[in-house]
Amino acid sequence: MFLAEDKMHRWWWEPMPPEERLALLDVLSDALFASEQWHGIEIDSSLLSYSGLNSTDVLDSYREQVFNDEEPLDVPSIVEKLGGALAGFETVPNAVGLGALIISMILEIVGKSLGKKTMGTAEMLQRVFAEEKGNEVRDLMDEYLKHLQINLGKPQLQLAETRQIELDLSAQLTRLKNSMLVDGHMNSMLLKQWVNGAAFHTQMLIHQARLEEADGSRAVRAAGVYQQQLNVIIDRYKKYLIGITHITILTTRDQSTTYILSFNEGPLSGYSAPWYALQYKSQFTDTQMVEHLFSKQQISWTTSYFTDLAANIPTLVRQHATFQIQN
């Protein structure tokens, strides 16, 4: 009894050791990021997979996954029957970046019909935009992907469509940015839509430079602008999260402590800390909780994504890999 009273007394003045404080912040952060309430602000995995320097390798690996079977497959016949826009092709030029992404989407149709595990590329827009109706950014991205399929193997037609649709997409991204920054409609869903749209638009400009055999300087400048805009949006997003993220500490007679992280885009269950946490006074605020969230990869990637992409663009625009339907 004396020991418990002593611990209760020390709780009011003894600071929590830094390592325990950090561990508690980690647990609360992980609880949020693993919850159904956190919808994420990340760039979609499929767009990321086909945005890097190894997009050709990713596509070739997926082709092998789709057509790998114990029995030899008549790949040309399968593609002719199920491959949609790939039907009639033996090779496809410029199968890098968005060119590789669209081939992956077509292969998904073939893979599903063969009972193979797919990459989920075809569901990219659904993951980013969910079931939202009347979204101009989504519709323009969808329209562009459709035209890439229609004009597969026809670089001049792809170039014409790219020049037209990228301008329309750019304008809609500006409207979405202003909705968050000027009109005050900040939330995780809109940020996720904007950052995926901006990444997609930059990839369109890379594809355009590749088709024009240009140096990609316009895409580099766009990536720089988007990084600057993202920095401003993320700063505003941090203030938004501080307003909707709260820590509540509950104590019980059996000397247990429950730390409850409330996230007002959706409730979270509490985290029950060990009883000895009562020895210490909790010394972090809602603001510090959000600062810790921003140190995690789920958010910290935003500080350099477009800068890193810009550094790769001169190499990306020089990639002109040809996709072989059958290896």
Side-chain angles (χ1 to χ4, degrees):
M1 183 66 180
F2 174 80
L3 180 62
E5 290 178 347
D6 182 51
K7 288 178 179 178
M8 287 290 289
H9 174 71
R10 288 194 296 146
W11 175 62
W12 291 104
W13 61 270
E14 187 173 342
M16 181 180 286
E19 63 276 10
E20 293 193 24
R21 179 177 179 274
L22 180 61
L24 180 56
L25 287 169
D26 280 339
V27 169
L28 292 170
S29 298
D30 292 343
L32 171 59
F33 292 137
S35 72
E36 294 181 357
Q37 286 72 37
W38 175 255
H39 301 297
I41 61 169
E42 74 282 352
I43 294 174
D44 187 80
S45 58
S46 293
L47 184 54
L48 277 179
S49 294
Y50 291 104
S51 296
L53 298 172
N54 66 335
S55 63
T56 299
D57 294 336
V58 174
L59 180 60
D60 287 344
S61 176
Y62 186 47
R63 176 196 57 203
E64 296 307 307
Q65 177 183 323
V66 170
F67 294 126
N68 183 32
D69 203 86
E70 294 180 359
E71 299 293 331
L73 296 175
D74 185 354
V75 174
S77 296
I78 292 173
V79 171
E80 188 70 29
K81 181 179 179 181
L82 302 170
L86 281 177
F89 284 93
E90 293 183 359
T91 61
V92 181
N94 292 308
V96 288
L98 292 181
L101 176 77
I102 199 63
I103 295 173
S104 175
M105 288 182 166
I106 301 169
L107 287 178
E108 294 235 326
I109 300 172
V110 178
K112 287 180 180 179
S113 69
L114 296 175
K116 300 298 181 67
K117 182 179 179 181
T118 65
M119 290 182 65
T121 309
E123 290 78 41
M124 178 182 71
L125 295 182
Q126 182 178 353
R127 287 192 297 269
V128 173
F129 296 95
E131 302 299 328
E132 185 176 347
K133 298 179 180 179
N135 189 294
E136 291 289 342
V137 172
R138 177 203 59 205
D139 292 346
L140 285 167
M141 291 169 65
D142 194 19
E143 180 74 0
Y144 182 65
L145 291 171
K146 180 182 73 175
H147 281 280
L148 282 184
Q149 289 194 53
I150 293 172
N151 297 319
L152 200 66
K154 300 176 181 178
Q156 290 306 311
L157 291 178
Q158 283 194 1
L159 179 57
E161 295 290 352
T162 302
R163 287 170 173 166
Q164 175 185 335
I165 297 177
E166 72 88 1
L167 292 173
D168 295 336
L169 180 57
S170 178
Q172 291 301 326
L173 288 170
T174 297
R175 292 188 178 96
L176 182 53
K177 171 182 68 72
N178 289 339
S179 176
M180 291 184 285
L181 295 180
V182 179
D183 302 332
H185 298 153
M186 176 63 72
N187 60 49
S188 300
M189 179 186 70
L190 292 182
L191 174 53
K192 183 176 183 177
Q193 292 176 4
W194 182 87
V195 78
N196 275 271
F200 189 91
H201 181 233
T202 308
Q203 290 298 319
M204 289 179 70
L205 295 176
I206 293 171
H207 193 60
Q208 178 179 334
R210 187 179 292 124
L211 295 173
E212 293 173 338
E213 298 185 353
D215 62 3
S217 57
R218 188 161 173 257
V220 171
R221 289 193 295 272
V225 169
Y226 282 135
Q227 185 64 64
Q228 292 172 356
Q229 292 182 349
L230 181 56
N231 292 342
V232 174
I233 294 172
I234 283 293
D235 184 63
R236 190 71 59 85
Y237 182 65
K238 180 183 289 187
K239 295 176 182 176
Y240 163 76
L241 286 190
I242 290 172
I244 67 167
T245 306
H246 306 288
I247 299 291
T248 303
I249 304 174
L250 303 177
T251 59
T252 62
R253 291 182 178 180
D254 64 355
Q255 295 186 332
S256 64
T257 303
T258 298
Y259 290 83
I260 299 177
L261 174 60
S262 299
F263 185 69
N264 289 344
E265 284 188 335
L268 280 172
S269 58
Y271 161 64
S272 296
W275 69 269
Y276 60 77
L278 276 175
Q279 297 179 54
Y280 309 110
K281 182 178 180 180
S282 175
Q283 291 188 321
F284 58 86
T285 64
D286 296 342
T287 298
Q288 290 169 326
M289 180 72 244
V290 172
E291 291 284 355
H292 192 73
L293 293 175
F294 270 65
S295 72
K296 296 297 185 178
Q297 191 275 336
Q298 287 87 343
I299 298 179
S300 65
W301 66 268
T302 61
T303 61
S304 64
Y305 172 77
F306 287 102
T307 300
D308 295 340
L309 176 59
N312 288 332
I313 287 175
T315 301
L316 290 170
V317 298
R318 292 195 300 269
Q319 293 180 330
H320 295 275
T322 297
F323 177 70
Q324 304 282 338
I325 302 297
Q326 186 171 15
N327 191 16

